[in-house]
Amino acid sequence: MLKKKLYLLLTLLLAVSMLPACSKKKEEEKEPVKEEREAVVEEEEKEPEPEPEEPIPANQNLLTGIPDLTDAAIGKRPVAVMVNNIPKAMPQYGIEKADIIFEIPVEGDQTRFMALYADYTTIPQICPIRSCRYYFPALSQGFDAFYVNWGIDDSIADYLELLQLDQYDGISGQGGFFGRDQERLNAGYALEHTGYFDGTKFASVVQAEGRRLDLTEDKRDPAFSFNGLNEQLKPEGSDCTRIDINFGQQSAALTYDAASKTYKKENSGQPQIDAKTGNQLSFTNVFVLETSISVRDSIGHKEVDWDGGDNSVGYYISNGGIQKIHWMKEANNEWSRLKFFDESGNEISINRGKTYIAMNYPNQAVFQ
């Protein structure tokens, strides 16, 4: 009996002696769980890493946002060329290569093109070249562009001198760039529809003449705020697959091609074709900018409000959509940039690609 009691006592003591060890083991098992929870909390409190900025290639075309400039054209000035645009002058050539085309009424409510080329080393032959109206260089100066034309409205000579326009005029044959297209003459085109500009010579001539080639410091960034390199966004608004613009004596229409995500252009009911390539003009971005246009003299030359402002009305069309906007350049500052804003006053970003800009009378466009 005594042995049995001793055995039970030893068993009890042994059990009691093991209790702290078990408790300690359980505490040790719980500790890592606590540490894991603290690590999770710390991780949750960390701010997310900012996304790295998208690297933009050095040869980005400042007019389109597409990296397609030759090395020799990086940081160099674009070229603005005045092009005849009436139906009797069709088809033009060299215009498909343009990065931006402005279309604005001139006398008689016919229209004229100002075509801008970002790469001064790859300009093609362009025909037919036409004369200058003051509101075109008022816009081209905002791009720090060379300006090419054939003749001017004599009443604006003093204005152009004040602008210090870096100009090549076919009337004087400057640079040896200009001539008459003999094939057009033989085909019966009127003389004013046959003048060409040989852009293939442009780079070598301006270099030899020592003209300023480098962009001014304030024009070395993109001309517009562009969306990402691989983004093709639809403007914030409704759908738009066709734009019809009535300039008066002429009209323009642009129809959306979903396959290429561009708008194909017509001139007065006919596809607008580049005679050298056979391709219809097409644009990623279309702008219709409404403004005040009036007749300023007996010849019919126009007065055009080219600087817009807070109350200006415009429309941005791209990728099958349309957005109402405001547009402006700084008042009385031809060297300022043309900018586009949403209805809340925020500058908009546009898709990368070629751009068509119609500056026209108010309420003369239909969007479908």
Side-chain angles (χ1 to χ4, degrees):
M1 186 71 177
L2 182 59
K3 287 182 180 179
K4 188 175 180 181
K5 287 181 178 179
L6 287 171
Y7 176 77
L8 289 174
L9 182 60
L10 287 170
T11 303
L12 182 61
L13 288 170
L14 182 61
V16 171
S17 67
M18 291 176 66
L19 283 175
C22 292
S23 176
K24 186 176 181 182
K25 186 175 180 182
K26 286 180 182 178
E27 286 174 5
E28 287 174 353
E29 287 175 352
K30 287 181 181 180
E31 192 64 29
V33 175
K34 182 180 178 185
E35 288 175 0
E36 284 174 14
R37 285 177 182 167
E38 287 175 353
V40 169
V41 170
E42 284 179 11
E43 195 169 322
E44 286 176 353
E45 288 175 354
K46 278 185 182 178
E47 291 186 7
E49 292 287 332
E51 291 186 11
E53 287 189 12
E54 184 179 35
I56 302 299
N59 68 333
Q60 175 183 218
N61 182 320
L62 299 184
L63 303 186
T64 66
I66 295 172
D68 61 2
L69 291 181
T70 60
D71 288 345
I74 296 172
K76 306 304 181 185
R77 301 170 66 189
V79 181
V81 183
M82 294 306 304
V83 184
N84 200 344
N85 192 52
I86 68 173
K88 288 182 180 180
M90 297 296 109
Q92 306 130 317
Y93 59 78
I95 52 172
E96 186 189 10
K97 179 74 175 176
D99 296 305
I100 300 173
I101 288 180
F102 285 86
E103 184 171 8
I104 308 176
V106 292
E107 49 273 20
D109 284 333
Q110 295 178 322
T111 66
R112 196 154 294 174
F113 274 179
M114 182 173 72
L116 282 98
Y117 302 79
D119 193 327
Y120 84 108
T121 71
T122 62
I123 301 172
Q125 287 190 343
I126 305 164
C127 183
I129 306 303
R130 209 64 171 98
S131 56
C132 170
R133 299 294 178 265
Y134 82 92
Y135 35 92
F136 290 104
L139 293 163
S140 74
Q141 289 292 77
F143 299 93
D144 193 23
F146 291 101
Y147 189 83
V148 176
N149 61 285
W150 194 310
I152 65 169
D153 162 13
D154 291 335
S155 68
I156 64 169
D158 291 341
Y159 173 73
L160 298 184
E161 189 174 344
L162 287 172
L163 281 185
Q164 297 180 324
L165 195 64
D166 214 341
Q167 181 182 20
Y168 286 95
D169 191 336
I171 287 288
S172 62
Q174 286 174 283
F177 300 127
F178 300 93
R180 294 289 178 186
D181 185 313
Q182 191 59 50
E183 288 186 11
R184 283 185 164 241
L185 288 167
N186 295 342
Y189 281 86
L191 189 67
E192 63 268 27
H193 307 325
T194 64
Y196 70 80
F197 166 68
D198 190 354
T200 64
K201 299 178 180 178
F202 190 76
S204 60
V205 171
V206 295
Q207 288 167 8
E209 291 181 346
R211 299 261 186 155
R212 176 175 64 84
L213 289 171
D214 292 335
L215 285 159
T216 55
E217 191 171 348
D218 63 327
K219 299 295 189 298
R220 293 175 187 171
D221 58 335
F224 308 116
S225 176
F226 288 113
N227 294 323
L229 283 169
N230 298 309
E231 288 183 320
Q232 188 76 3
L233 304 181
K234 190 173 182 179
E236 296 179 0
S238 56
D239 292 343
C240 183
T241 57
R242 183 177 170 91
I243 309 107
D244 288 279
I245 307 167
N246 178 13
F247 291 101
Q249 288 296 312
Q250 283 181 245
S251 64
L254 296 107
T255 303
Y256 187 57
D257 175 52
S260 63
K261 294 187 176 181
T262 62
Y263 287 81
K264 307 287 188 182
K265 188 177 185 301
E266 298 173 16
N267 183 335
S268 300
Q270 297 298 318
Q272 191 147 16
I273 304 296
D274 187 301
K276 295 286 188 184
T277 67
N279 297 327
Q280 188 173 2
L281 297 190
S282 60
F283 303 90
T284 299
N285 304 301
V286 175
F287 286 94
V288 177
L289 308 181
E290 297 184 353
T291 194
S292 172
I293 302 175
S294 58
V295 175
R296 67 179 177 85
D297 61 22
S298 59
I299 297 172
H301 293 130
K302 300 293 186 183
E303 188 79 35
V304 176
D305 177 6
W306 49 260
D307 54 14
D310 293 337
N311 297 319
S312 62
V313 174
Y315 300 89
Y316 168 51
I317 304 99
S318 187
N319 202 21
I322 182 171
Q323 178 178 6
K324 192 173 182 180
I325 61 169
H326 300 296
W327 64 275
M328 67 170 294
K329 278 167 63 78
E330 292 176 19
N332 303 312
N333 183 1
E334 289 86 344
W335 291 267
S336 65
R337 283 266 177 82
L338 181 63
K339 291 187 177 293
F340 309 112
F341 304 90
D342 64 22
E343 292 188 278
S344 299
N346 304 306
E347 187 172 3
I348 67 169
S349 294
I350 69 173
N351 291 320
R352 294 171 187 265
K354 294 179 184 292
T355 295
Y356 167 82
I357 302 174
M359 195 171 283
N360 195 28
Y361 301 96
N363 304 313
Q364 293 299 304
V366 176
F367 307 100
Q368 299 177 34

